[in-house]
Amino acid sequence: MLKKLQQRWKVNGLNLVLIITTFALGGSLCGYTGRKLLMLTNLEKGFLWFILYILLITLLWPLCVLLISIPLGQFSFFKRYLIKVWGKMSGSSNNSHYKCNIAIFASGAGSNAQQIIHQFSDSALINISLIVCNKPGAGVLQIAEKAGIPSLLIEKERFFNGDHYLPELRKQHIDFIVLAGFLWKMPAALINAYPKKILNIHPALLPKYGGKGMYGSKVHEAVIAAGETESGITIHFVDELYDHGEIIFQAKCEVTLHDTAETLAQKIHLLEHANYPGVIASVAEKQNRS
Ligand code: GRF
């Protein structure tokens, strides 16, 4: 139960304790203040008193919880939490001001990252909050800098055997992860922390031409060598195997006799840029509401 809450709210153990404490203290403060305020009205305890009390505590609760959250260091969590609750109560996520925070993991030129950033630059629903990269000097880092998005350069040991950079992801309140040319396998701890909230794009029609070592031009070379007449893109959830998780979307393009790995890569990139942002929007929004 506690583990589930930790996952749902994307917080560590200590923060979870502080959040539960805030709920408890905020609730008590709200009940106490509500009673005190009603005492000022000299109203007899009865049906009306009870209705007014319920109304008062409904109004006071968010304020009390926010107040208590400040000294406990949980203000930003509760601000987001209340915005989300308000969005749900007002009936539709479109009315909510809560934005889904996405981290893009990329280690290459970053043309997909660029497209995604561009697509969501004015979005009321999605915020590209962080670029995670494992290659110093990768093109995607310049893209992040130009767009004014914080970037995080990660190193192997900590990613696979340390804390997997979960504290940084939590600090930026990352709700969803998008892989766009990130070649390291995602560690189980990250997959468990973001169940069905990590997407990858692969430049071929999976399950063919995927797996370890199948990336970049190697994929296109293999497709051409096999004499395929079509290739395409696959967007899928990430699990612990390379290019293996549940497939969400595929789009195809023709492979002609004149195609080289380079020309095929260009066709594939066009398909990726045209489709990845839209799929991210629909999946992230759906997952974020659940
Ligand atoms: C894309 O072709 C994607 O399918 C694969 O890595 C490539 C990244 O390209 N996962 P870019 O860095 O976004 O240009």
Side-chain angles (χ1 to χ4, degrees):
M1 163 80 179
L2 288 182
K3 270 258 163 278
K4 276 210 165 144
L5 275 181
Q6 231 178 298
Q7 271 186 5
R8 192 179 174 85
W9 290 337
K10 300 174 201 76
V11 292
N12 62 25
L14 174 65
N15 280 327
L16 184 66
V17 171
L18 292 171
I19 287 166
I20 292 172
T21 311
T22 309
F23 271 118
L25 293 178
S28 311
L29 178 65
C30 160
Y32 175 81
T33 320
R35 269 196 303 278
K36 284 280 171 207
L37 284 174
L38 277 181
M39 272 163 71
L40 293 176
T41 65
N42 285 331
L43 202 69
E44 287 273 308
K45 266 200 182 171
F47 183 68
L48 185 62
W49 187 96
F50 183 72
I51 295 292
L52 281 176
Y53 179 67
I54 298 291
L55 271 176
L56 259 178
I57 58 171
T58 310
L59 291 175
L60 284 174
W61 186 80
L63 291 177
C64 292
V65 157
L66 278 178
L67 202 72
I68 298 285
S69 71
I70 297 169
L72 292 185
Q74 301 305 314
F75 182 76
S76 72
F77 170 84
F78 276 93
K79 193 177 112 199
R80 288 162 51 80
Y81 179 82
L82 291 171
I83 289 172
K84 206 168 176 176
V85 169
W86 177 250
K88 279 190 180 162
M89 278 170 53
S90 57
S92 123
S93 69
N94 291 337
N95 294 335
S96 160
H97 296 293
Y98 178 76
K99 278 194 176 187
C100 172
N101 287 319
I102 292 185
I104 301 177
F105 282 49
S107 2
S111 71
N112 277 284
Q114 168 92 75
Q115 191 64 22
I116 296 164
I117 291 167
H118 172 70
Q119 191 82 17
F120 297 123
S121 59
D122 293 326
S123 168
L125 299 172
I126 285 176
N127 190 27
I128 305 300
S129 324
L130 185 67
I131 302 293
V132 178
C133 177
N134 65 333
K135 259 197 195 158
V140 71
L141 291 171
Q142 281 161 27
I143 291 173
E145 200 184 336
K146 260 196 187 158
I149 298 172
S151 55
L152 174 67
L153 196 57
I154 59 173
E155 51 90 16
K156 218 168 187 167
E157 184 55 27
R158 189 172 158 204
F159 186 65
F160 288 108
N161 301 322
D163 60 16
H164 321 286
Y165 292 89
L166 266 170
E168 277 86 348
L169 297 177
R170 284 179 174 140
K171 201 170 154 214
Q172 299 279 345
H173 303 291
I174 299 302
D175 300 300
F176 208 85
I177 293 175
V178 165
L179 310 187
F182 185 72
L183 298 184
W184 288 352
K185 200 148 105 182
M186 292 302 264
L190 271 185
I191 295 169
N192 293 336
Y194 288 91
K196 285 217 162 179
K197 290 187 176 182
I198 308 180
L199 279 187
N200 181 40
I201 189 161
H202 185 76
L205 296 170
L206 292 175
K208 283 165 124 184
Y209 308 107
K212 196 170 167 30
M214 278 304 226
Y215 59 87
S217 60
K218 292 183 190 176
V219 179
H220 309 310
E221 279 157 15
V223 167
I224 290 168
E228 298 282 1
T229 53
E230 60 180 19
S231 186
I233 61 168
T234 305
I235 299 171
H236 63 96
F237 286 121
V238 170
D239 66 11
E240 285 170 47
L241 302 175
Y242 277 113
D243 305 324
H244 180 263
E246 182 191 336
I247 292 175
I248 301 159
F249 175 89
Q250 290 189 306
K252 292 177 181 174
C253 65
E254 196 190 354
V255 182
T256 69
L257 287 174
H258 307 294
D259 268 321
T260 61
E262 249 171 40
T263 60
L264 184 52
Q266 283 164 11
K267 289 183 191 173
I268 295 287
H269 262 119
L270 286 179
L271 272 185
E272 291 182 334
H273 299 164
N275 290 290
Y276 206 12
V279 175
I280 292 167
S282 63
V283 178
E285 227 192 287
K286 201 164 123 210
Q287 297 291 339
N288 209 35
R289 257 187 275 130
S290 66

